């Protein structure tokens, strides 16, 4: 049978009072006319003495313990609301509080372990991404120094490859700097009113050769002469379109299509970038915006890129108080959407 602390106190007080009364009864047996009255008074006195001693001493210490728990709990305002020490069973209350605090701390520990794992993976990815272009450029240059520089054709070929590797390294470093500055709030969005249609057309022209190599057709869902005016940072939004469309070209279907469309809302436009490629598996969808995360690592190395494009795009869109939503169906394609304010 489970007894709470107050019931247990009553039983202990009653037991102590009965025991003391019994001893006094034996000691004064047949020696006092007021034996019954004395026994009753002794019983009541012992009972009250034990009970109030418990109240004064034990409960005081319990309240001290609970005050400490309460200070810990108040670090979480949601859990601190509506809590009080006054309860039918303070010991049970403390036990429940300890369990809740322990559960919360365990969640914090699990989150710290997850962040530590992400940090380790990030350092490993950065090391690998930096090592690849450095070793490539180093190999080409050392080959030239070992005598290949005398052959004009080999020299020019290797110098171009070394230059390309160093250009890739520069892009990676610049992207790392950009994403770090965005996360720390150093880069501010220079928002203004502008027409998004010419921006998308410029991006199409920039990526046209890359798309034609894979026979991919780029579509802009806008009428001739149509204007879609937004209030955002045009240079950063151009960067978002470059990253999203370039990524769709890299991993899209050979001979496929990419569409960019706009849906007008009351205060915002919904911008959609859609492809009919092979799609993204469910286990990858929640991770594709992580830094250096690649679905097909072997192919990604040959396609180039820093592996930070989608992460940078996510930060830019979030800096515009929006977010990128993604839906994907295997062998049918992927759709990315985000919203931007209309021009003021």
């Amino acid at each position: 049978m489970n007894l709470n602390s107050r019931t247990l106190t009553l039983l202990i007080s009653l037991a102590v009072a009965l025991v003391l009364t019994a001893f006094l009864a034996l000691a004064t047996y047949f020696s006092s006319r007021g034996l019954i009255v004395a026994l009753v008074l002794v019983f009541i006195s012992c009972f009250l003495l034990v009970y109030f001693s418990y109240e004064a001493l034990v409960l005081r210490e319990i309240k001290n313990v609970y005050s400490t728990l309460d200070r810990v709990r108040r670090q979480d305002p949601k859990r601190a609301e509506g809590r009080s020490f006054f309860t039918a069973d303070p010991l049970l209350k403390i036990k429940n509080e300890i369990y809740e605090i322990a559960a919360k701390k365990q969640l914090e520990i699990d989150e710290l372990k997850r962040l530590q794992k992400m940090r380790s993976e990030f350092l490993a990815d950065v090391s690998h991404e930096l090592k690849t272009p450095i070793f490539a450029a180093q190999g080409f240059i050392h080959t030239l120094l070992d005598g290949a520089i005398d052959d004009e054709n080999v020299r020019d070929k290797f110098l171009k490859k070394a230059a390309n590797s160093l250009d890739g390294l520069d892009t990676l470093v610049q992207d790392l700097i950009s994403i770090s500055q965005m996360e720390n709030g150093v880069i501010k969005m220079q928002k203004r009113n502008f027409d998004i249609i010419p921006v998308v057309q410029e991006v199409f022209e920039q990526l046209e050769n890359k798309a034609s190599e894979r026979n991919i057709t780029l579509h802009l869902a806008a009428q001739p002469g149509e204007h879609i005016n937004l209030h955002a940072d045009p240079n950063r939004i151009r960067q978002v379109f470059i990253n999203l469309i370039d990524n769709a070209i890299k991993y899209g279907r050979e001979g496929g299509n990419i569409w960019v469309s706009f849906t007008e809302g009351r205060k915002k436009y919904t911008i959609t970038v859609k492809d009919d490629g092979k799609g993204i598996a469910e286990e990858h969808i929640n991770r594709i915006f992580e830094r250096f995360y690649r679905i097909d690592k072997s192919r990604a190395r040959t396609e180039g890129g820093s592996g930070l494009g989608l992460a940078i795009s996510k930060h830019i869109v979030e800096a515009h108080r929006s977010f990128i939503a993604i839906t994907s169906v295997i062998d049918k394609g992927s759709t990315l959407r985000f919203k931007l304010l209309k021009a003021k």
Side-chain angles (χ1 to χ4, degrees):
M1 181 174 61
N2 294 326
L3 300 175
N4 63 36
S5 58
R6 290 185 182 275
T7 302
L8 188 61
T9 303
L10 290 171
L11 292 176
I12 293 173
S13 301
L14 181 61
V16 172
L18 289 173
V19 170
L20 291 176
T21 302
F23 276 113
L24 287 173
L26 291 174
T28 59
Y29 186 64
F30 296 129
S31 64
S32 173
R33 291 180 61 186
L35 176 62
I36 297 177
V37 175
L39 291 177
V40 171
L41 291 176
V42 169
F43 174 80
I44 293 173
S45 300
C46 293
F47 178 83
L48 293 176
L49 177 64
V50 174
Y51 183 78
F52 286 111
S53 296
Y54 168 83
E55 289 285 332
L57 299 175
V58 179
L59 278 185
R60 184 180 63 186
E61 294 304 319
I62 292 175
K63 287 179 180 179
N64 290 336
V65 173
Y66 191 84
S67 297
T68 303
L69 290 174
D70 189 59
R71 286 195 295 271
V72 174
R73 187 184 65 235
R74 289 185 184 278
Q75 296 176 2
D76 186 350
K78 292 182 179 179
R79 295 183 61 248
E81 293 177 358
R83 299 302 181 93
S84 173
F85 174 76
F86 299 104
T87 178
D89 189 354
L91 291 178
L92 179 61
K93 181 78 169 180
I94 288 178
K95 183 184 75 172
N96 292 337
E97 288 293 333
I98 291 174
Y99 284 157
E100 288 185 27
I101 292 173
K104 182 174 180 291
K105 295 303 179 184
Q106 185 60 50
L107 290 176
E108 292 176 356
I109 291 172
D110 292 341
E111 179 65 12
L112 288 173
K113 288 181 178 179
R114 187 185 70 84
L115 293 175
Q116 176 63 28
K117 182 180 178 182
M118 288 180 61
R119 177 178 174 272
S120 299
E121 291 176 353
F122 173 70
L123 290 175
D125 288 336
V126 169
S127 300
H128 183 82
E129 296 291 342
L130 290 173
K131 179 178 68 176
T132 301
I134 290 174
F135 280 9
Q138 188 179 40
F140 294 134
I141 292 172
H142 278 293
T143 301
L144 293 174
L145 292 175
D146 288 340
I149 195 171
D150 296 329
D151 187 326
E152 185 175 345
N153 293 329
V154 173
R155 180 188 63 200
D156 293 343
K157 180 180 178 181
F158 277 28
L159 285 176
K160 287 180 180 178
K161 288 185 176 182
N164 289 335
S165 296
L166 294 176
D167 288 342
L169 178 61
D170 179 67
T171 300
L172 173 61
V173 172
Q174 293 300 323
D175 285 348
L176 282 170
I177 292 173
S178 295
I179 201 169
S180 176
Q181 290 175 334
M182 288 179 189
E183 289 177 342
N184 293 324
V186 175
I187 295 180
K188 303 297 181 183
M189 298 296 110
Q190 305 298 321
K191 298 179 182 179
R192 63 179 176 84
N193 295 340
F194 69 101
D195 186 357
I196 191 64
I197 297 298
V199 173
V200 178
Q201 290 172 339
E202 289 175 12
V203 173
F204 278 10
E205 292 174 2
Q206 180 178 342
L207 299 174
E208 185 177 8
N209 290 335
K210 192 174 231 182
S212 61
E213 290 176 359
R214 306 197 68 233
N215 197 27
I216 292 176
T217 305
L218 305 177
H219 305 271
L220 175 58
Q223 299 298 323
E226 182 180 1
H227 299 282
I228 297 178
N229 296 313
L230 303 176
H231 182 73
D233 186 327
N235 292 324
R236 295 297 177 182
I237 296 303
R238 177 186 290 106
Q239 189 176 3
V240 171
F241 276 110
I242 290 173
N243 290 335
L244 296 184
I245 296 172
D246 180 68
N247 195 72
I249 292 172
K250 284 180 183 177
Y251 301 103
R253 177 172 57 86
E254 191 87 24
N257 297 274
I258 297 173
W259 297 270
V260 175
S261 60
F262 304 88
T263 303
E264 186 176 4
R266 190 166 63 89
K267 294 183 178 180
K268 297 181 178 181
Y269 274 98
T270 299
I271 301 168
T272 303
V273 178
K274 180 181 178 182
D275 66 68
D276 56 359
K278 59 184 181 179
I280 302 171
E282 184 69 27
E283 63 267 22
H284 298 298
I285 286 181
N286 292 330
R287 299 197 62 190
I288 63 170
F289 293 104
E290 293 179 11
R291 292 171 291 186
F292 298 116
Y293 188 79
R294 301 179 189 269
I295 297 174
D296 187 346
K297 298 184 182 297
S298 59
R299 181 178 173 185
R301 305 301 179 198
T302 60
E303 294 288 350
S306 66
L308 295 170
L310 291 181
I312 291 174
S313 298
K314 171 178 173 287
H315 282 289
I316 292 174
V317 172
E318 288 178 348
H320 286 79
R321 297 187 177 181
S322 185
F323 65 94
I324 301 179
I326 179 170
T327 56
S328 185
V329 179
I330 297 297
D331 295 328
K332 290 188 177 180
S334 303
T335 302
L336 294 96
R337 293 184 178 91
F338 60 96
K339 295 182 179 182
L340 291 175
L341 284 171
K342 291 182 178 180
K344 296 182 179 180

